[in-house]
Amino acid sequence: MERKSRMTGPAGLMMFLIPVLSGALVLAGCSSSGSGSSAAGTSSASASASTSGSSQVSAATAITQKWINAAATLSTTTPLNSPAPTGKTFVWLNCEIPACTEIGEGLKEATALIGWKLKVIQYNQANISALVPAMQQALTYHPAGVALSGLPQAVWQSEEAAYAKAGVPLIVGFVGPVNLSSTVIGNIGDGPNLVDYGTMMANWFISDSDGTGKALNVHVDSLEILKGISDSFDSTVKSGCSGCSVTDLSSTLQDVESGALNGQIVAALQRDSSIKYVISPQGGFIAGLPAALASAGLKNIKIASTGSSSQNIADVNNGTETATIGGAFQVGGFEMIDIDLRHLEGMTVDPYDGGLPKKLIVKSSDISPANDYPPISPFTSQFKALWKVS
């Protein structure tokens, strides 16, 4: 029987149905119906709106501090029934996006830790037709599992029957909602994880702007995982900040890879000079944005992103970007292996593997730039214990 994985979250980019999230802000509605004079009614409404705005900012600030102070721990704590088996092969379908490289690094280290061979097949996400041949090639290695990221299920669903026949599980990550089954057994970065990224950015924005900010929210909806993040930002601001506003900017993966996105952002800010925040669902997509803003004479623009690169963290440290969220992509690679190991042992499998560790990085975090954050190093010993690796 299929299990439906739903992207929790938001307003209008991803088509994920999101349950009420613990930590998402709920707008406190105000209405005034009094029998006094018009002036008294206006004064009462203003006071009510002010109180509502203040409570919204306070709630957002509390949530923001929680994520700034988040510790590097795994949610999964149940070890394997027996030590991880050795001598197997795992296949990673690697794409051109930096996040894929980081997931692959995690997979490389995780498979080495348990004595598995990692096969890597390269394809280009901007050419989605390349994925199916890569998936077919992966089966020729008779692997214990195959992993891919980024592209939605509609692109690769045609190959599920072949994987089911071969008895090879698929573990996907950062792809958006999927129909989970006995073949598609994991979806790292989805479920309750996904909406967190959008709400983290939204609550930071509400808090930082004191409940009065105007944001440009970048959408790259061809990657559904990013659509879910952007949707989550939209819906959280809409429900949690009566004094804020959001303008959506639609772009494409082709625009990102051609270097056109930063120009689109600059043009949008020039059209509306009241917008002082830029929100990107992927930090690597806006590399060079601070310089582009400076070249255009745009000042006092605050930039925030998810899936940080080392450049995003460096920009936060030097003040040209204000906040970023680590993608934990390498940890995601380890979690893909963790799901496969549990599947091989016949254990109950959480398709999200307990969720990815998340942290909001601001200047006061004083974090050294790294290609992926949090790095895998704080988690390696935790996975070794789970897998009973000596």
Side-chain angles (χ1 to χ4, degrees):
M1 184 170 106
E2 287 187 333
R3 295 166 285 167
K4 184 76 171 176
S5 165
R6 291 180 179 165
M7 232 33 103
T8 50
L13 295 201
M14 196 167 198
M15 298 166 60
F16 309 106
L17 302 175
I18 297 181
V20 177
L21 175 73
S22 68
L25 297 175
V26 179
L27 176 61
C30 329
S31 62
S32 68
S33 60
S35 57
S37 66
S38 173
T42 301
S43 175
S44 175
S46 297
S48 178
S50 176
T51 300
S52 175
S54 176
S55 65
Q56 291 169 349
V57 172
S58 295
T61 300
I63 294 169
T64 298
Q65 287 302 313
K66 165 195 165 184
W67 289 116
I68 289 174
N69 298 325
T73 57
L74 295 174
S75 298
T76 298
T77 58
T78 303
L80 299 179
N81 293 330
S82 57
T86 60
K88 296 186 179 295
T89 296
F90 194 89
V91 179
W92 167 234
L93 306 180
N94 190 49
C95 77
E96 79 282 12
I97 293 174
C100 285
T101 301
E102 296 306 322
I103 297 168
E105 286 297 318
L107 286 167
K108 181 179 179 181
E109 186 171 341
T111 51
L113 193 66
I114 57 176
W116 285 19
K117 180 181 293 185
L118 179 67
K119 293 283 188 179
V120 179
I121 300 173
Q122 190 71 35
Y123 78 99
N124 194 306
Q125 283 193 355
N127 176 21
I128 60 175
S129 64
L131 179 60
V132 166
M135 293 181 71
Q136 294 170 347
Q137 181 184 346
L139 287 180
T140 67
Y141 296 114
H142 307 290
V146 174
L148 62 89
S149 75
L151 294 177
Q153 191 169 23
V155 175
W156 43 266
Q157 193 167 29
S158 63
E159 298 308 299
E160 289 181 36
Y163 274 70
K165 183 177 180 179
V168 175
L170 274 168
I171 301 102
V172 300
F174 312 96
V175 300
V178 302
N179 291 318
L180 295 162
S181 65
S182 58
T183 299
V184 185
I185 64 171
N187 189 7
I188 298 300
D190 198 352
N193 296 277
L194 178 65
V195 72
D196 279 343
Y197 295 111
T199 59
M200 287 167 74
M201 282 286 91
N203 284 303
W204 167 82
F205 162 66
I206 295 166
S207 175
D208 189 78
S209 70
D210 201 27
T212 61
K214 294 185 177 182
L216 183 71
N217 189 23
V218 176
H219 286 266
V220 183
D221 291 357
S222 56
L223 297 180
E224 292 191 35
I225 187 77
L226 302 185
K227 185 177 188 299
I229 293 171
S230 299
D231 279 352
S232 178
F233 179 88
D234 280 338
S235 63
T236 303
V237 173
K238 181 178 180 180
S239 65
C241 187
S242 53
C244 299
S245 66
V246 178
T247 298
D248 290 322
L249 173 65
S250 295
S251 191
T252 67
L253 188 57
Q254 288 74 18
D255 290 334
V256 172
E257 294 191 352
S258 69
L261 177 57
N262 286 344
Q264 295 169 348
I265 293 171
V266 167
L269 295 175
Q270 289 173 330
R271 286 192 298 270
D272 186 349
S273 60
S274 67
I275 298 174
K276 297 300 181 184
Y277 290 81
V278 175
I279 311 297
S280 173
Q282 180 62 242
F285 288 179
I286 55 170
L289 180 59
L293 296 178
S295 179
L298 293 166
K299 299 179 180 180
N300 302 317
I301 306 296
K302 295 188 175 183
I303 304 169
S305 63
T306 65
S308 64
S309 67
S310 59
Q311 187 60 58
N312 296 120
I313 298 174
D315 288 346
V316 168
N317 289 343
N318 66 34
T320 55
E321 186 169 338
T322 313
T324 190
I325 299 171
F329 298 117
Q330 292 181 29
V331 180
F334 267 72
E335 289 189 345
M336 288 173 169
I337 297 299
D338 188 61
I339 286 175
D340 201 22
L341 289 171
R342 293 171 191 278
H343 172 76
L344 290 173
E345 287 205 359
M347 298 177 67
T348 299
V349 175
D350 173 5
Y352 313 116
D353 208 49
L356 289 165
K358 290 174 282 293
K359 185 178 182 66
L360 181 64
I361 301 169
V362 294
K363 190 169 186 177
S364 62
S365 302
D366 193 25
I367 289 172
S368 297
N371 287 334
D372 190 25
Y373 192 87
I376 191 60
S377 52
F379 304 95
T380 303
S381 61
Q382 298 176 54
F383 279 109
K384 288 179 68 174
L386 291 177
W387 300 344
K388 297 183 177 179
V389 174
S390 58

